[in-house]
Amino acid sequence: MAAEIILKLPLVLLQFVVAQVDLSNALSEFGGARTVTGGSMLIHMFFAQIFVGFAIAAPVLQAWGARTGSPRMDRLAHSMVRFNVLTFSTGATFAVLFLVLLVGLYPSVTASIFTNFFYLIAAAMLSMVLALWGMYTYYYKWDRYAVLKKNRHIAMGLTMGVFIWIWVVIMTGIDTYMVSGGGAQGQPITAGSVESFGASLGQVFNPMFVEMVLHRTFANLSWPAFALGAWASFKYVRAKSEADKSFYDWASSVGLTWGVGFLMLQPIIGYFIVYSMKLSVPNEPVSGAAGGSYERLTSGASSGMLYTNLLLVVILFVLSAVAMYLGAERHPDQASRVPIRFFGLVATVAGLYSISPLADFPTYYFRYIALLIMIIATLGAFITYMRGRLRFSYGSPGTMYRVVLISLGVFAAVVALNMGFMKSNSRVPFAVYNQPDYTIESTPPPASFGN
């Protein structure tokens, strides 16, 4: 009897301690419900965006390697899908945590979203299951299929990429509906019953949908590519053999070219996203909410984030030009460094001008003109770099080149996460824009919101 009491004593003490803990205001210690919920989502998105980018790129690289006979492509594709297999559980854990927080802290809007978009969410879950089937089959049958049944193996990888992209498209539709409220003719979400597929599909095809799908697709290929370049630069330092050094140097160049190639599209698509937000203001907005998420993003509480993101994007372009200039050292006669330096200087000056106070004189259009010049100049450096890559000798990049690539990976991650935070914050205090029954705060939107 005494032994049983002794064994149960730690459990009794633990129950007593837990009973004394007051969790009523626990979230306030961590910045509040929004901070905790948003933080869990941002951590999930960090892994999810790399997952999507690698899932799409890995089978493409393998197919490219099969066509060109490059074993490096196979090795890089295998490394990318291996990263996805190893980190998927981490990203999924924070996704589940985010869902738990949504259900517990925002039960009304969560229930309404799930019932209104029930069929689309079911389709998204099915696409996720098929994407995971493709990923695990693709990875674990690599040794068996990658040589003798290469086309079938590539098809498995493409299954992974296609179905995870379908997941992204569906989630983007729901997300943009919450930001835009469905646009000028948007219909409110329903909470009482499962909505029809046609009605929910109409809400998904809102004014922001196409632009955001393009933006996320290219972003999920751009920032993970920069992450790949940073990873390869880090691995180069630890590599022992000359063959490994050559591979990681080559992989860093692949990450740089893919990252810069898709980065150049982002400011252009971003402009159309903001413009679509302007067009999505409903005909009869809730009192005080006229202008909506566009007004809040460009001149309201989120305008500081927009400028910060512009600054970070300019830094990405400048660092990309520097990385291409330093990477062109691999060329036998280094002939391509001169035009890359010229284009890089033009891109830098134009980028710095676009974030300066002078960019609004004589008209604010000059800011957009400067950004366009930055993109065109970067394109010139990119084409020159790509032409020079045909003669590159890999295996000995300079230290500064690796430092710049690692910095690019860090800044690209910050830009990607800040964009998601900025977009979601643009609809605050609404959880679903222009629907006062679904707000993030406990009180209705203030009368001055959007003014």
mmCIF file of all heavy atoms in Angstrom, residues 163-201:
data_model
loop_
_atom_site.group_PDB
_atom_site.id
_atom_site.type_symbol
_atom_site.label_atom_id
_atom_site.label_comp_id
_atom_site.label_asym_id
_atom_site.label_seq_id
_atom_site.Cartn_x
_atom_site.Cartn_y
_atom_site.Cartn_z
ATOM 1 N N PHE A 163 0.015 17.819 -57.840
ATOM 2 C CA PHE A 163 -1.037 17.804 -56.823
ATOM 3 C C PHE A 163 -0.750 18.775 -55.686
ATOM 4 O O PHE A 163 -1.688 19.313 -55.093
ATOM 5 C CB PHE A 163 -1.251 16.385 -56.294
ATOM 6 C CG PHE A 163 -2.054 15.528 -57.228
ATOM 7 C CD1 PHE A 163 -1.466 14.495 -57.930
ATOM 8 C CD2 PHE A 163 -3.407 15.773 -57.424
ATOM 9 C CE1 PHE A 163 -2.204 13.711 -58.814
ATOM 10 C CE2 PHE A 163 -4.151 15.003 -58.299
ATOM 11 C CZ PHE A 163 -3.554 13.966 -58.988
ATOM 12 N N ILE A 164 0.520 19.028 -55.375
ATOM 13 C CA ILE A 164 0.786 20.041 -54.351
ATOM 14 C C ILE A 164 0.483 21.427 -54.914
ATOM 15 O O ILE A 164 0.083 22.338 -54.179
ATOM 16 C CB ILE A 164 2.242 19.949 -53.837
ATOM 17 C CG1 ILE A 164 2.364 20.649 -52.480
ATOM 18 C CG2 ILE A 164 3.222 20.561 -54.813
ATOM 19 C CD1 ILE A 164 1.524 20.058 -51.392
ATOM 20 N N TRP A 165 0.649 21.611 -56.228
ATOM 21 C CA TRP A 165 0.286 22.904 -56.837
ATOM 22 C C TRP A 165 -1.233 23.090 -56.810
ATOM 23 O O TRP A 165 -1.713 24.205 -56.591
ATOM 24 C CB TRP A 165 0.803 22.963 -58.273
ATOM 25 C CG TRP A 165 0.523 24.278 -58.936
ATOM 26 C CD1 TRP A 165 1.161 25.464 -58.725
ATOM 27 C CD2 TRP A 165 -0.506 24.548 -59.899
ATOM 28 N NE1 TRP A 165 0.608 26.460 -59.507
ATOM 29 C CE2 TRP A 165 -0.420 25.924 -60.240
ATOM 30 C CE3 TRP A 165 -1.479 23.759 -60.514
ATOM 31 C CZ2 TRP A 165 -1.276 26.508 -61.157
ATOM 32 C CZ3 TRP A 165 -2.326 24.358 -61.437
ATOM 33 C CH2 TRP A 165 -2.224 25.708 -61.749
ATOM 34 N N ILE A 166 -1.990 22.023 -57.028
ATOM 35 C CA ILE A 166 -3.454 22.117 -56.925
ATOM 36 C C ILE A 166 -3.862 22.532 -55.513
ATOM 37 O O ILE A 166 -4.764 23.357 -55.320
ATOM 38 C CB ILE A 166 -4.104 20.775 -57.310
ATOM 39 C CG1 ILE A 166 -3.895 20.502 -58.808
ATOM 40 C CG2 ILE A 166 -5.600 20.766 -56.979
ATOM 41 C CD1 ILE A 166 -4.380 19.135 -59.247
ATOM 42 N N TRP A 167 -3.189 21.978 -54.523
ATOM 43 C CA TRP A 167 -3.437 22.383 -53.135
ATOM 44 C C TRP A 167 -3.206 23.886 -52.973
ATOM 45 O O TRP A 167 -4.029 24.596 -52.369
ATOM 46 C CB TRP A 167 -2.519 21.592 -52.207
ATOM 47 C CG TRP A 167 -2.352 22.168 -50.832
ATOM 48 C CD1 TRP A 167 -1.473 23.145 -50.454
ATOM 49 C CD2 TRP A 167 -3.095 21.830 -49.647
ATOM 50 N NE1 TRP A 167 -1.608 23.428 -49.122
ATOM 51 C CE2 TRP A 167 -2.595 22.641 -48.600
ATOM 52 C CE3 TRP A 167 -4.103 20.918 -49.380
ATOM 53 C CZ2 TRP A 167 -3.085 22.559 -47.303
ATOM 54 C CZ3 TRP A 167 -4.595 20.841 -48.080
ATOM 55 C CH2 TRP A 167 -4.093 21.657 -47.066
ATOM 56 N N VAL A 168 -2.092 24.391 -53.516
ATOM 57 C CA VAL A 168 -1.765 25.814 -53.418
ATOM 58 C C VAL A 168 -2.854 26.659 -54.078
ATOM 59 O O VAL A 168 -3.279 27.691 -53.540
ATOM 60 C CB VAL A 168 -0.392 26.098 -54.067
ATOM 61 C CG1 VAL A 168 -0.147 27.602 -54.189
ATOM 62 C CG2 VAL A 168 0.715 25.440 -53.260
ATOM 63 N N VAL A 169 -3.331 26.236 -55.244
ATOM 64 C CA VAL A 169 -4.354 26.990 -55.978
ATOM 65 C C VAL A 169 -5.643 27.094 -55.159
ATOM 66 O O VAL A 169 -6.240 28.177 -55.028
ATOM 67 C CB VAL A 169 -4.634 26.337 -57.343
ATOM 68 C CG1 VAL A 169 -5.866 26.957 -58.001
ATOM 69 C CG2 VAL A 169 -3.428 26.487 -58.262
ATOM 70 N N ILE A 170 -6.094 25.986 -54.578
ATOM 71 C CA ILE A 170 -7.343 25.996 -53.806
ATOM 72 C C ILE A 170 -7.201 26.861 -52.559
ATOM 73 O O ILE A 170 -8.076 27.690 -52.248
ATOM 74 C CB ILE A 170 -7.754 24.563 -53.433
ATOM 75 C CG1 ILE A 170 -8.085 23.757 -54.692
ATOM 76 C CG2 ILE A 170 -8.966 24.575 -52.491
ATOM 77 C CD1 ILE A 170 -8.375 22.297 -54.438
ATOM 78 N N MET A 171 -6.108 26.699 -51.830
ATOM 79 C CA MET A 171 -5.895 27.495 -50.622
ATOM 80 C C MET A 171 -5.755 28.978 -50.952
ATOM 81 O O MET A 171 -6.195 29.842 -50.192
ATOM 82 C CB MET A 171 -4.649 27.003 -49.880
ATOM 83 C CG MET A 171 -4.773 25.622 -49.267
ATOM 84 S SD MET A 171 -6.030 25.538 -47.939
ATOM 85 C CE MET A 171 -7.341 24.666 -48.782
ATOM 86 N N THR A 172 -5.148 29.278 -52.100
ATOM 87 C CA THR A 172 -5.026 30.675 -52.520
ATOM 88 C C THR A 172 -6.386 31.284 -52.799
ATOM 89 O O THR A 172 -6.638 32.449 -52.458
ATOM 90 C CB THR A 172 -4.141 30.774 -53.775
ATOM 91 O OG1 THR A 172 -2.828 30.291 -53.464
ATOM 92 C CG2 THR A 172 -4.040 32.209 -54.268
ATOM 93 N N GLY A 173 -7.275 30.510 -53.416
ATOM 94 C CA GLY A 173 -8.627 31.010 -53.676
ATOM 95 C C GLY A 173 -9.363 31.368 -52.403
ATOM 96 O O GLY A 173 -10.008 32.430 -52.308
ATOM 97 N N ILE A 174 -9.287 30.514 -51.394
ATOM 98 C CA ILE A 174 -9.957 30.790 -50.121
ATOM 99 C C ILE A 174 -9.316 31.987 -49.431
ATOM 100 O O ILE A 174 -9.996 32.861 -48.893
ATOM 101 C CB ILE A 174 -9.909 29.544 -49.221
ATOM 102 C CG1 ILE A 174 -10.665 28.388 -49.884
ATOM 103 C CG2 ILE A 174 -10.490 29.839 -47.845
ATOM 104 C CD1 ILE A 174 -10.555 27.072 -49.143
ATOM 105 N N ASP A 175 -7.987 32.043 -49.468
ATOM 106 C CA ASP A 175 -7.267 33.140 -48.824
ATOM 107 C C ASP A 175 -7.596 34.481 -49.464
ATOM 108 O O ASP A 175 -7.855 35.477 -48.774
ATOM 109 C CB ASP A 175 -5.770 32.854 -48.907
ATOM 110 C CG ASP A 175 -4.936 33.949 -48.269
ATOM 111 O OD1 ASP A 175 -5.350 34.472 -47.217
ATOM 112 O OD2 ASP A 175 -3.867 34.288 -48.813
ATOM 113 N N THR A 176 -7.588 34.540 -50.792
ATOM 114 C CA THR A 176 -7.884 35.812 -51.467
ATOM 115 C C THR A 176 -9.337 36.229 -51.271
ATOM 116 O O THR A 176 -9.644 37.427 -51.240
ATOM 117 C CB THR A 176 -7.572 35.716 -52.969
ATOM 118 O OG1 THR A 176 -8.223 34.563 -53.529
ATOM 119 C CG2 THR A 176 -6.079 35.607 -53.204
ATOM 120 N N TYR A 177 -10.236 35.254 -51.129
ATOM 121 C CA TYR A 177 -11.624 35.610 -50.814
ATOM 122 C C TYR A 177 -11.696 36.295 -49.457
ATOM 123 O O TYR A 177 -12.431 37.284 -49.282
ATOM 124 C CB TYR A 177 -12.515 34.369 -50.814
ATOM 125 C CG TYR A 177 -13.904 34.653 -50.285
ATOM 126 C CD1 TYR A 177 -14.864 35.255 -51.089
ATOM 127 C CD2 TYR A 177 -14.236 34.349 -48.975
ATOM 128 C CE1 TYR A 177 -16.126 35.555 -50.592
ATOM 129 C CE2 TYR A 177 -15.500 34.640 -48.467
ATOM 130 C CZ TYR A 177 -16.445 35.236 -49.285
ATOM 131 O OH TYR A 177 -17.691 35.532 -48.786
ATOM 132 N N MET A 178 -10.947 35.812 -48.479
ATOM 133 C CA MET A 178 -10.967 36.419 -47.153
ATOM 134 C C MET A 178 -10.391 37.824 -47.180
ATOM 135 O O MET A 178 -10.830 38.699 -46.435
ATOM 136 C CB MET A 178 -10.179 35.543 -46.176
ATOM 137 C CG MET A 178 -10.812 34.185 -45.922
ATOM 138 S SD MET A 178 -9.818 33.134 -44.855
ATOM 139 C CE MET A 178 -9.958 34.011 -43.289
ATOM 140 N N VAL A 179 -9.406 38.081 -48.064
ATOM 141 C CA VAL A 179 -8.799 39.408 -48.160
ATOM 142 C C VAL A 179 -9.692 40.376 -48.921
ATOM 143 O O VAL A 179 -9.816 41.549 -48.558
ATOM 144 C CB VAL A 179 -7.417 39.321 -48.833
ATOM 145 C CG1 VAL A 179 -6.833 40.720 -49.068
ATOM 146 C CG2 VAL A 179 -6.464 38.494 -47.971
ATOM 147 N N SER A 180 -10.320 39.899 -49.988
ATOM 148 C CA SER A 180 -11.095 40.783 -50.867
ATOM 149 C C SER A 180 -12.590 40.780 -50.582
ATOM 150 O O SER A 180 -13.321 41.648 -51.072
ATOM 151 C CB SER A 180 -10.876 40.387 -52.329
ATOM 152 O OG SER A 180 -11.431 39.101 -52.581
ATOM 153 N N GLY A 181 -13.069 39.792 -49.825
ATOM 154 C CA GLY A 181 -14.507 39.668 -49.619
ATOM 155 C C GLY A 181 -15.242 39.214 -50.857
ATOM 156 O O GLY A 181 -16.461 39.294 -50.934
ATOM 157 N N GLY A 182 -14.504 38.747 -51.852
ATOM 158 C CA GLY A 182 -15.122 38.281 -53.084
ATOM 159 C C GLY A 182 -15.246 39.336 -54.153
ATOM 160 O O GLY A 182 -15.737 39.053 -55.248
ATOM 161 N N GLY A 183 -14.813 40.579 -53.854
ATOM 162 C CA GLY A 183 -14.887 41.637 -54.849
ATOM 163 C C GLY A 183 -16.189 42.408 -54.802
ATOM 164 O O GLY A 183 -16.997 42.282 -53.873
ATOM 165 N N ALA A 184 -16.408 43.215 -55.851
ATOM 166 C CA ALA A 184 -17.574 44.096 -55.884
ATOM 167 C C ALA A 184 -18.890 43.333 -55.807
ATOM 168 O O ALA A 184 -19.867 43.804 -55.227
ATOM 169 C CB ALA A 184 -17.531 44.959 -57.149
ATOM 170 N N GLN A 185 -18.932 42.154 -56.379
ATOM 171 C CA GLN A 185 -20.153 41.346 -56.372
ATOM 172 C C GLN A 185 -20.041 40.161 -55.407
ATOM 173 O O GLN A 185 -20.762 39.176 -55.532
ATOM 174 C CB GLN A 185 -20.428 40.815 -57.793
ATOM 175 C CG GLN A 185 -20.468 41.885 -58.873
ATOM 176 C CD GLN A 185 -21.596 42.886 -58.651
ATOM 177 O OE1 GLN A 185 -22.646 42.546 -58.114
ATOM 178 N NE2 GLN A 185 -21.364 44.131 -59.062
ATOM 179 N N GLY A 186 -19.151 40.273 -54.451
ATOM 180 C CA GLY A 186 -18.894 39.172 -53.548
ATOM 181 C C GLY A 186 -20.086 38.811 -52.673
ATOM 182 O O GLY A 186 -20.830 39.675 -52.220
ATOM 183 N N GLN A 187 -20.267 37.522 -52.458
ATOM 184 C CA GLN A 187 -21.345 37.016 -51.613
ATOM 185 C C GLN A 187 -20.783 36.629 -50.251
ATOM 186 O O GLN A 187 -19.676 36.107 -50.148
ATOM 187 C CB GLN A 187 -21.997 35.791 -52.261
ATOM 188 C CG GLN A 187 -22.618 36.078 -53.616
ATOM 189 C CD GLN A 187 -23.769 37.073 -53.524
ATOM 190 O OE1 GLN A 187 -24.592 36.995 -52.622
ATOM 191 N NE2 GLN A 187 -23.796 38.006 -54.462
ATOM 192 N N PRO A 188 -21.529 36.878 -49.172
ATOM 193 C CA PRO A 188 -21.039 36.524 -47.839
ATOM 194 C C PRO A 188 -20.967 35.019 -47.648
ATOM 195 O O PRO A 188 -21.702 34.268 -48.278
ATOM 196 C CB PRO A 188 -22.072 37.156 -46.906
ATOM 197 C CG PRO A 188 -23.322 37.246 -47.730
ATOM 198 C CD PRO A 188 -22.858 37.523 -49.126
ATOM 199 N N ILE A 189 -20.066 34.585 -46.774
ATOM 200 C CA ILE A 189 -19.970 33.171 -46.474
ATOM 201 C C ILE A 189 -21.136 32.761 -45.590
ATOM 202 O O ILE A 189 -21.727 33.581 -44.890
ATOM 203 C CB ILE A 189 -18.633 32.814 -45.784
ATOM 204 C CG1 ILE A 189 -18.465 33.603 -44.482
ATOM 205 C CG2 ILE A 189 -17.478 33.030 -46.703
ATOM 206 C CD1 ILE A 189 -17.237 33.195 -43.704
ATOM 207 N N THR A 190 -21.481 31.495 -45.628
ATOM 208 C CA THR A 190 -22.602 30.975 -44.844
ATOM 209 C C THR A 190 -22.067 30.109 -43.719
ATOM 210 O O THR A 190 -21.035 29.455 -43.853
ATOM 211 C CB THR A 190 -23.542 30.142 -45.724
ATOM 212 O OG1 THR A 190 -22.790 29.072 -46.332
ATOM 213 C CG2 THR A 190 -24.155 30.998 -46.815
ATOM 214 N N ALA A 191 -22.784 30.094 -42.613
ATOM 215 C CA ALA A 191 -22.343 29.349 -41.440
ATOM 216 C C ALA A 191 -23.247 28.174 -41.109
ATOM 217 O O ALA A 191 -22.867 27.305 -40.344
ATOM 218 C CB ALA A 191 -22.273 30.282 -40.233
ATOM 219 N N GLY A 192 -24.446 28.140 -41.675
ATOM 220 C CA GLY A 192 -25.421 27.151 -41.237
ATOM 221 C C GLY A 192 -25.307 25.791 -41.881
ATOM 222 O O GLY A 192 -25.600 24.783 -41.263
ATOM 223 N N SER A 193 -24.886 25.733 -43.131
ATOM 224 C CA SER A 193 -24.871 24.448 -43.830
ATOM 225 C C SER A 193 -23.724 24.421 -44.820
ATOM 226 O O SER A 193 -23.083 25.427 -45.090
ATOM 227 C CB SER A 193 -26.192 24.226 -44.576
ATOM 228 O OG SER A 193 -26.392 25.253 -45.543
ATOM 229 N N VAL A 194 -23.475 23.231 -45.368
ATOM 230 C CA VAL A 194 -22.424 23.084 -46.363
ATOM 231 C C VAL A 194 -22.857 23.762 -47.656
ATOM 232 O O VAL A 194 -23.921 23.461 -48.198
ATOM 233 C CB VAL A 194 -22.116 21.595 -46.609
ATOM 234 C CG1 VAL A 194 -21.113 21.441 -47.739
ATOM 235 C CG2 VAL A 194 -21.592 20.955 -45.336
ATOM 236 N N GLU A 195 -22.065 24.699 -48.113
ATOM 237 C CA GLU A 195 -22.405 25.475 -49.302
ATOM 238 C C GLU A 195 -22.260 24.600 -50.547
ATOM 239 O O GLU A 195 -21.551 23.609 -50.560
ATOM 240 C CB GLU A 195 -21.478 26.696 -49.390
ATOM 241 C CG GLU A 195 -21.827 27.664 -50.508
ATOM 242 C CD GLU A 195 -23.229 28.222 -50.374
ATOM 243 O OE1 GLU A 195 -24.161 27.498 -50.776
ATOM 244 O OE2 GLU A 195 -23.385 29.341 -49.880
ATOM 245 N N SER A 196 -22.974 25.012 -51.603
ATOM 246 C CA SER A 196 -22.869 24.282 -52.862
ATOM 247 C C SER A 196 -21.508 24.516 -53.491
ATOM 248 O O SER A 196 -20.862 25.543 -53.264
ATOM 249 C CB SER A 196 -23.968 24.751 -53.828
ATOM 250 O OG SER A 196 -23.700 26.067 -54.284
ATOM 251 N N PHE A 197 -21.072 23.564 -54.289
ATOM 252 C CA PHE A 197 -19.761 23.656 -54.926
ATOM 253 C C PHE A 197 -19.696 24.860 -55.854
ATOM 254 O O PHE A 197 -18.700 25.570 -55.893
ATOM 255 C CB PHE A 197 -19.479 22.366 -55.696
ATOM 256 C CG PHE A 197 -18.167 22.376 -56.421
ATOM 257 C CD1 PHE A 197 -16.979 22.203 -55.736
ATOM 258 C CD2 PHE A 197 -18.116 22.575 -57.796
ATOM 259 C CE1 PHE A 197 -15.762 22.210 -56.407
ATOM 260 C CE2 PHE A 197 -16.915 22.589 -58.471
ATOM 261 C CZ PHE A 197 -15.732 22.400 -57.768
ATOM 262 N N GLY A 198 -20.778 25.101 -56.592
ATOM 263 C CA GLY A 198 -20.793 26.218 -57.530
ATOM 264 C C GLY A 198 -20.656 27.557 -56.838
ATOM 265 O O GLY A 198 -19.930 28.445 -57.300
ATOM 266 N N ALA A 199 -21.361 27.724 -55.699
ATOM 267 C CA ALA A 199 -21.299 28.990 -54.977
ATOM 268 C C ALA A 199 -19.908 29.241 -54.418
ATOM 269 O O ALA A 199 -19.357 30.349 -54.523
ATOM 270 C CB ALA A 199 -22.331 29.005 -53.861
ATOM 271 N N SER A 200 -19.301 28.223 -53.812
ATOM 272 C CA SER A 200 -17.966 28.392 -53.239
ATOM 273 C C SER A 200 -16.918 28.590 -54.336
ATOM 274 O O SER A 200 -15.964 29.348 -54.160
ATOM 275 C CB SER A 200 -17.607 27.186 -52.373
ATOM 276 O OG SER A 200 -17.662 25.988 -53.120
ATOM 277 N N LEU A 201 -17.126 27.949 -55.489
ATOM 278 C CA LEU A 201 -16.200 28.125 -56.597
ATOM 279 C C LEU A 201 -16.269 29.560 -57.120
ATOM 280 O O LEU A 201 -15.245 30.160 -57.472
ATOM 281 C CB LEU A 201 -16.530 27.145 -57.717
ATOM 282 C CG LEU A 201 -15.469 26.943 -58.799
ATOM 283 C CD1 LEU A 201 -14.202 26.349 -58.192
ATOM 284 C CD2 LEU A 201 -15.993 26.044 -59.907
#
